[in-house]
Amino acid sequence: MRYGFLIDHNRCIGCHACTVACKEEHDVPVGVYRTWVKYIEKGRYPDVRRHFGVLRCNHCDNAPCIEICPTVALFRRADGIVDFDGERCIGCKSCMQACPYDALYIDPRSNTAAKCNFCAHRVEVGLEPACVIVCPEQAIVAGDLDDASSDISRIVARGKIDVRKPEKGTRPKLFYAGIEPDLLRPARMRSQDAHLWGDKAAGEDIYCTGERSAENLATEVYDVPHAPPWGRKIVAYLWAKSIAAGVLFVGGLLLGLGYDAPRLLFVLSPAAALAFTAATLLLLISDLKRPDRFYYLFTRGNPRSWLVIGGYILGGYGFTACLWLFFGVFGKSPPSWVIWPAVFLALAAAGYTAFLFVQAKGRDLWQSPFFFWHLLIQAGVAGAAVLLLANAIMFADAASLPAILTVGLILDLIVTLAEVFVAHGNEDAARARRILTQGALAGEFWGWSVSGGLLLPLVLIALWPDALFFSTASAALALAGIWAFDDIWIKAGQAIPLS
Ligand code: SF4
């Protein structure tokens, strides 16, 4: 059994009855939606036509929201409905990044994720979903796609149907008949500063002030709010994690190379690793809508979610940092059976986020094949920068570390330019890259990230290699540059509209 929907836009009159019936059936709060009707207009006056698109969860057979959900709050039922359990949700919003269709929202009352669940409670007792019952045009058909005699199967078998973003491989079970194709390609619609009967949410405007306004496309005239789920706390989490991982990664390399700085490498490195790992975890927890349920990551964890795997990696890394510090406080160098596992876990802690971002399937920019290597290099730069700063401030010595920082900055510059200039991903990923290089984020990208965070520190170190002041200034700039890149990477990834 595989329940699915078909929405016939040859019949839909855009009356919003389905939206209202859904809100009534599920007590959906004001400002969030399980199903909504989007309006676009095409053509030029007087030859203009308005088109409707009824949008909701696609009950994907291969649902990325289920894979990324760290606590199995989202799950696929035996009848094919993708349902959710608000009691398990920790409000991490990762499902909102994984869903390519913008189907999920955070319920402002429970602070947990929610979406269309096909009115599973009605289906179980033989009733049809509320939106199907209320539609005055019988434009919504719900039924079993595995039953060849069902209405939906017969209509789907006739062909001439569309699904949203089939290239995502999610195998949606929401089919459209007679829909205007532009409604299926949200990044190809021209946005406006405000909507019919509605304001736009803060943070929604990056894309509409960019290239969309320059193209002669369908105009989006009515939609629901789509504020970006992740913000500054996730930027801070990425930044703190780069430092946490980098200090032992670089510290381990220096010890392996025979670098003699016991106070710096025996004590300060592991202490900084522990402090920034703790900060990373606290930032992650503070970004949860239900921080009180943080421990569900371990008690109800989904082993396929990189949020859960990352939690274990950070835990293991923290443990090796404790062991390292234990030897350090007794004035001893950590043994190799501590150093190399710590270095390996440092790399894992730095890089696992790339796999989490790949699970965020809705965000095309974040599918970058360079991001994993970029995170490792960022960790190296951040570790060298923090150790250099600490060494210079506490021991007035910065020998060796400027060379490591220089190599890290050169690699960082190469991979940063590769991220934006080497073609990868689909059309939407290319659009997001253009936002970085030519669009609304170009000033921050070229100014703060590339010039201020990479080129300027490289120039300072190259011109004054032995000057403590300039090497510490370079380290501070490099850390600021990592923050700047993480900030615009998070913004650009979420700038392309999903629906
Ligand atoms: Fe629904 Fe989105 Fe999950 Fe697909 S990925 S099942 S559309 S919430």
Side-chain angles (χ1 to χ4, degrees), residues 56-60 63-65 82 98-101 103-104 115:
R56 59 181 60 172
C57 173
N58 290 218
H59 296 278
C60 309
C65 60
V82 176
C99 172
Y101 311 108
L104 292 122
K115 65 173 195 68

Side-chain angles (χ1 to χ4, degrees), residues 340-354:
W340 299 117
V343 169
F344 173 76
L345 284 167
L347 292 174
Y352 83 82
T353 311

Side-chain angles (χ1 to χ4, degrees), residues 120-438:
H121 61 293
R122 292 176 59 91
V123 171
E124 280 166 7
V125 295
L127 299 174
E128 291 197 289
C131 58
V132 176
I133 297 297
V134 81
C135 178
E137 298 293 321
Q138 297 188 330
I140 306 175
V141 181
D144 180 7
L145 290 157
D146 280 349
D147 176 1
S149 64
S150 66
D151 288 346
I152 188 169
S153 291
R154 280 193 272 119
I155 300 171
V156 169
R158 263 188 245 138
K160 293 194 179 165
I161 48 150
D162 289 299
V163 293
R164 293 163 73 189
K165 303 181 189 173
E167 71 281 1
K168 290 283 179 187
T170 53
R171 290 189 276 135
K173 297 201 296 293
L174 166 58
F175 300 93
Y176 291 98
I179 193 165
E180 161 56 43
D182 278 1
L183 273 160
L184 302 174
R185 300 151 68 217
R188 301 286 299 167
M189 293 175 210
R190 181 156 28 98
S191 189
Q192 305 194 100
D193 293 340
H195 285 139
L196 201 62
W197 313 313
D199 294 333
K200 299 200 81 168
E204 275 195 83
D205 54 351
I206 293 178
Y207 194 57
C208 71
T209 55
E211 66 179 45
R212 260 206 302 188
S213 58
E215 296 181 42
N216 185 19
L217 300 166
T219 304
E220 190 182 275
V221 288
Y222 176 75
D223 199 3
V224 297
H226 306 283
W230 285 349
R232 282 282 159 86
K233 284 182 186 166
I234 296 298
V235 176
Y237 145 82
L238 280 173
W239 187 77
K241 190 162 66 64
S242 292
I243 296 174
V247 283
L248 284 197
F249 169 49
V250 175
L253 287 184
L254 288 171
L255 283 176
L257 293 170
Y259 187 65
D260 184 27
R263 284 177 298 177
L264 181 73
L265 299 184
F266 295 178
V267 179
L268 201 136
S269 285
L274 279 173
F276 279 93
T277 303
T280 302
L281 288 168
L282 286 175
L283 284 162
L284 256 186
I285 295 169
S286 70
D287 193 54
L288 299 179
K289 288 290 181 184
R290 292 298 304 260
D292 55 312
R293 296 180 176 176
F294 169 67
Y295 64 94
Y296 287 8
L297 281 175
F298 303 104
T299 57
R300 306 176 181 199
N302 168 11
R304 289 192 301 154
S305 168
W306 277 94
L307 261 177
V308 173
I309 299 167
Y312 282 108
I313 289 173
L314 288 176
Y317 180 60
F319 178 69
T320 54
C322 284
L323 283 177
W324 187 313
L325 185 60
F326 175 79
F327 285 98
V329 292
F330 290 105
K332 292 193 164 94
S333 173
S336 56
W337 59 265
V338 172
I339 295 174
W340 299 117
V343 169
F344 173 76
L345 284 167
L347 292 174
Y352 83 82
T353 311
F355 297 99
L356 175 66
F357 275 41
V358 167
Q359 284 189 328
K361 221 174 190 138
R363 306 300 180 184
D364 294 294
L365 181 70
W366 296 348
Q367 310 302 310
S368 160
F370 302 107
F371 194 49
F372 173 74
W373 304 106
H374 202 165
L375 288 172
L376 298 193
I377 292 166
Q378 273 190 343
V381 170
V386 165
L387 291 180
L388 195 154
L389 281 173
N391 210 22
I393 293 166
M394 297 168 71
F395 314 123
D397 172 24
S400 288
L401 285 160
I404 294 179
L405 183 61
T406 304
V407 172
L409 286 168
I410 292 170
L411 291 175
D412 201 350
L413 181 62
I414 292 169
V415 78
T416 299
L417 296 178
E419 293 270 29
V420 294
F421 288 121
V422 177
H424 59 81
N426 60 10
E427 206 184 338
D428 284 348
R431 286 198 179 93
R433 288 199 298 276
R434 284 202 293 278
I435 291 174
L436 283 176
T437 55
Q438 306 158 32

